[in-house]
Amino acid sequence: MTIAAARFAIVLVLVVAWEVAARFSTPLLTAPPSLVIPALAGVLTLDTYPELPRHLLVTVREIAIAYALAVLGGLGSGFALGLYRTLGRAYGPILAALYAVPAVVWYPSLMLFFGLDSTSKIAFGFLLGFFPITLAVLAGIRQVSPHLVTVARAFGARPLTTFVKVMIPAMMFTLVGGLRTGLALTVIGVIVGEILGSKAGMGSLINHAYGLLRTADYVALVLVTLVLIVASDALASLVEHRAQRWIE
């Protein structure tokens, strides 16, 4: 109850501060909560944007495809680089250097190559999610104690059994953390890609409302997108708790 009350107090203070600050700002640039709440009601009842469900499904589909590709590519590359030390030493630093480059610099090339359709957003989301997953798998394999592997092999465990029963549990925390980070960055990549240039999706609606200076609708759409982001993080958190229970 104390934690819930503290969270409610923080939210209440922020809302009040937002309302007061917006009253002294330009209405075209800021919208107080007293205007955002009716706008949010209009968005949720589909009065303002009747095609909201279609755009929301487009964004969810792009995130799902981009994340699935990032997981497949990241796990495959990470395990290959981690299990084969020569490959890891050769290409690991290159991946780390590419990951350090701001990903937004790649988006214009992706947009020119794939166009304004969903493919460029999926590619951008995949690009943001691929690197943290790959590097997390690589770091997790390197953290596995070689003594555990030696003991397992001494007791007659086959390579596949050693990998599943020894290596994966030992690297699970790093692996799950990388998967969760990859999901968050994939969501960010897809939505940012839609905002920068898209024909459909939540990002296109946000960009449309912002371009027309419909500030209250813009904030309401951002709140809807925020719920989508929080829901994806909650799902990742649930998977993380299940993985911890499996290790225990």
Side-chain angles (χ1 to χ4, degrees):
M1 293 295 295
T2 303
I3 295 176
R7 291 176 178 175
F8 178 77
I10 293 174
V11 173
L12 182 61
V13 170
L14 291 177
V15 170
V16 172
W18 177 11
E19 180 74 25
V20 173
R23 294 291 181 179
F24 294 95
S25 302
T26 305
L28 292 178
L29 300 180
T30 57
S34 57
L35 296 179
V36 172
I37 294 176
L40 181 61
V43 169
L44 296 178
T45 56
L46 306 182
D47 291 336
T48 310
Y49 294 94
E51 296 186 353
L52 176 65
R54 181 179 68 85
H55 290 279
L56 185 60
L57 288 177
V58 168
T59 300
V60 172
R61 179 177 61 85
E62 292 172 351
I63 292 173
I65 297 176
Y67 184 62
L69 294 176
V71 169
L72 291 177
L75 291 180
S77 301
F79 284 129
L81 296 177
L83 296 177
Y84 299 96
R85 295 185 177 181
T86 303
L87 290 177
R89 293 177 179 177
Y91 297 105
I94 298 177
L95 286 177
L98 291 176
Y99 183 50
V101 177
V104 71
V105 302
W106 305 108
Y107 185 72
S109 300
L110 296 175
M111 190 168 57
L112 289 175
F113 188 79
F114 294 107
L116 293 176
D117 294 331
S118 298
T119 308
S120 60
K121 284 68 188 175
I122 294 173
F124 192 49
F126 163 78
L127 185 65
L128 265 68
F130 169 77
F131 288 104
I133 295 176
T134 302
L135 295 176
V137 174
L138 180 59
I141 292 178
R142 290 176 176 176
Q143 291 176 358
V144 176
S145 175
H147 299 290
L148 296 177
V149 178
T150 302
V151 171
R153 291 178 178 176
F155 278 93
R158 296 181 179 181
L160 181 60
T161 304
T162 303
F163 179 73
V164 175
K165 298 293 185 179
V166 177
M167 296 187 68
I168 290 183
M171 61 178 290
M172 182 58 66
F173 289 106
T174 304
L175 175 60
V176 173
L179 292 174
R180 188 171 182 178
T181 303
L183 176 59
L185 292 179
T186 299
V187 174
I188 293 174
V190 169
I191 295 176
V192 169
E194 291 178 348
I195 293 175
L196 294 178
S198 178
K199 298 178 181 179
M202 293 302 299
S204 67
L205 290 182
I206 292 174
N207 194 31
H208 176 267
Y210 180 79
L212 296 179
L213 295 179
R214 300 169 62 175
T215 311
D217 291 341
Y218 160 75
V219 177
L221 291 171
V222 169
L223 292 177
V224 173
T225 307
L226 180 62
V227 172
L228 175 62
I229 297 174
V230 172
S232 64
D233 185 72
L235 179 61
S237 178
L238 178 62
V239 174
E240 183 177 5
H241 287 302
R242 291 293 181 88
Q244 291 177 355
R245 290 179 58 186
W246 178 67
I247 294 175
E248 294 174 355

